[in-house]
Amino acid sequence: MLAWELRLAPGGRVPSGHVHPAQEERFTVVEGRMRFRVDGHSLVVGPGQTVTVAPGVRHHFANAGPTEVFVLVETRPAMRMEELLEVAAELARGRHGRARRLPGLIDLLLFMDEFRSEVRAPYFAGAVGSVVRAIVRVAGLFGVGAHYRRLRDPRGMGR
C-alpha cells in the first residue's frame, strides 16, 4: 500500500478521467471539499468523508471549494504509483520549471505507456492503446520524446 497526501488549490483537478486497472484508491478528505465523478456518478465530499474507487473503475476528481483541499490517499497495491506521482509532478513543472496545464502530447503518450499497469485513460483502451504503443515506438526510433527520456534518466540515456 502507498499512503500519500494530495493538496489541490482552488480549481485544481486531475487532468482527465482515468482508471487504475489493478489498484484500489481510497480518498479521505481532511480539509476542504472534493468533487468526484466515479463510474458516471458525481458526489461532493467534505472533511472526514471517504471515497473508495475499486480497480478498473473510471474516476475523476477536483477541488470543489474556494480553499485548498487536503486529502489522504491510499493506493493498494502500491505497484509503481510513487514513481508515477513523481514523474507526473516533474511533467507538470514543464521543461523550464514553469507550471503547465498539461505535458506535451509525446511526453503524455510516453508517460501513459510507461505506467500503463498503474493508470489508463479509458479512451486509450483496446485498439487505441495499440496505436499509442506504436506511436511511442516510432517516436523512439526518430528521437522524438527526448525531453521525457531525459526526465526519466538525467544522464540522457533513456530507459
Side-chain angles (χ1 to χ4, degrees):
M1 187 229 353
L2 176 67
W4 50 285
E5 296 178 355
L6 172 65
R7 293 182 183 271
L8 287 175
R13 61 186 172 81
V14 67
S16 177
H18 60 280
V19 299
H20 301 285
Q23 296 166 294
E24 174 188 275
E25 274 190 316
R26 182 170 299 174
F27 301 85
T28 301
V29 176
V30 177
E31 297 173 1
R33 296 179 60 74
M34 281 279 278
R35 176 177 294 109
F36 288 89
R37 184 145 185 93
V38 179
D39 202 20
H41 303 284
S42 293
L43 62 151
V44 176
V45 297
Q49 294 181 297
T50 298
V51 172
T52 301
V53 181
V57 173
R58 182 178 178 174
H59 60 289
H60 181 272
F61 53 85
N63 182 334
T67 61
E68 180 181 78
V69 66
F70 174 41
V71 183
L72 299 177
V73 186
E74 295 177 355
T75 305
R76 288 183 177 87
M79 299 171 64
R80 293 178 61 208
M81 189 61 115
E82 184 172 6
E83 186 179 2
L84 177 151
L85 293 167
E86 290 169 355
V87 173
E90 283 298 315
L91 287 172
R93 280 192 258 290
R95 295 182 182 174
H96 303 289
R98 294 186 306 252
R100 293 177 57 178
R101 294 184 73 90
L102 290 174
L105 179 60
I106 294 297
D107 288 346
L108 182 60
L109 292 176
L110 290 166
F111 174 84
M112 293 300 291
D113 185 60
E114 179 178 359
F115 293 104
R116 67 183 170 274
S117 294
E118 287 75 25
V119 67
R120 294 189 188 150
Y123 43 85
F124 282 175
V128 175
S130 298
V131 170
V132 168
R133 285 188 290 285
I135 290 169
V136 166
R137 282 193 288 283
V138 170
L141 292 173
F142 289 97
V144 178
H147 169 256
Y148 185 83
R149 289 183 179 85
R150 277 192 305 276
L151 181 142
R152 297 302 290 128
D153 183 350
R155 298 169 301 195
M157 299 171 67
R159 278 189 153 263

